């Protein structure tokens, strides 16, 4: 799949339908997990109330540029949690998820958060671990809404350390006493 320019922007209410379709069509939620996304909706009210960011690919067009949604995430600030994260099936394997996680960490850092919890969909646990999340426990099943245990992880959010250019320190000149025999 050839990629155009990909950027991450704040989601808007007009994105609700596309985000909902991305969630409902995810192959990660087929079979035994299908009930989790059946009827799921990412509404404009949710987008307006939370920090939702979307990765889009810019697409040139005759009527002006358009964009294709590649993935999105939602960061809850209080308490700090990655509430939703999806990458379209067609965009997986191109680094979109990694870019979304890095963006999420930057947003968390700006909000003064030092760790972001995620209750993972079981098949996504390996991805979250590969991008730095650390396991902290298991959230037990909660029938009838969730019929299986889910891994609980935390993304550490490391504060940005300002880069200070290295300036050579002045080295004091220390006179050396000549202890030679010729004096």
């Amino acid at each position: 799949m050839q990629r155009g320019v990909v950027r991450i922007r704040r989601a808007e209410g007009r994105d609700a339908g596309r985000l909902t379709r991305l969630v409902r069509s995810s192959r990660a939620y087929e079979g035994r997990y299908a009930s989790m996304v059946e009827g799921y909706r990412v509404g404009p009210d949710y987008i307006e109330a939370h920090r939702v960011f979307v990765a889009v690919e810019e697409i040139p067009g005759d009527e002006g540029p358009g964009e294709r949604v590649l993935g999105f995430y939602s960061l809850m600030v209080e308490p700090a949690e990655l509430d939703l994260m999806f990458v379209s099936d067609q965009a997986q394997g191109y680094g979109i998820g990694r870019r979304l996680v890095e963006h999420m960490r930057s947003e968390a850092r700006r909000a003064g958060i030092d760790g972001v919890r995620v209750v993972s969909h079981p098949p996504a646990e390996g991805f979250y671990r590969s991008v730095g999340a650390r396991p902290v426990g298991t959230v037990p099943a909660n029938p009838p809404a969730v019929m299986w245990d889910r891994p609980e992880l935390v993304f550490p959010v490391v504060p940005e350390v300002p880069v200070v250019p290295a300036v050579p320190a002045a080295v004091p000149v220390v006179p050396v006493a000549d202890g030679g025999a010729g004096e």
Side-chain angles (χ1 to χ4, degrees):
M1 175 200 269
Q2 187 175 3
R3 286 264 157 255
V5 175
V6 176
R7 64 185 173 90
I8 298 175
R9 64 166 172 78
R10 187 79 185 244
E12 300 170 358
R14 66 183 172 87
D15 296 314
R18 295 189 295 174
L19 301 185
T20 296
R21 281 190 298 282
L22 197 157
V23 170
R24 289 183 185 176
S25 67
S26 174
R27 284 194 313 253
Y29 284 88
E30 291 178 337
R32 70 181 276 215
Y33 300 115
S35 64
M36 281 294 295
V37 296
E38 186 179 332
Y40 196 89
R41 180 177 169 268
V42 180
D45 52 339
Y46 179 88
I47 291 170
E48 297 301 322
H50 302 294
R51 294 177 187 219
V52 181
F53 291 87
V54 60
V56 295
E57 176 184 19
E58 295 178 4
I59 302 169
D62 295 338
E63 313 235 345
E67 59 185 26
R68 177 183 357 241
V69 171
L70 303 175
F72 76 99
Y73 76 88
S74 174
L75 174 64
M76 311 300 278
V77 174
E78 194 57 47
E81 184 168 352
L82 179 61
D83 188 41
L84 296 171
M85 182 171 187
F86 283 84
V87 174
S88 76
D89 294 336
Q90 299 77 20
Q92 291 182 15
Y94 292 96
I96 303 302
R98 287 183 184 281
R99 285 183 64 180
L100 287 168
V101 166
E102 285 308 309
H103 190 276
M104 180 271 302
R105 280 185 157 144
S106 293
E107 283 297 309
R109 189 176 301 115
R110 275 193 278 285
I113 297 168
D114 61 4
V116 177
R117 174 183 187 244
V118 60
V119 177
S120 177
H121 176 50
E125 180 181 10
F127 167 75
Y128 287 130
R129 285 180 176 223
S130 78
V131 292
R134 297 188 181 125
V136 295
T138 302
V139 175
N142 183 21
V146 181
M147 302 300 288
W148 51 87
D149 294 345
R150 294 169 294 157
E152 180 180 12
L153 305 103
V154 170
F155 281 103
V157 178
V158 180
E160 277 188 293
V161 177
V163 177
V164 179
V167 177
V171 178
V173 177
V174 179
V176 178
D178 185 7
E183 293 187 273

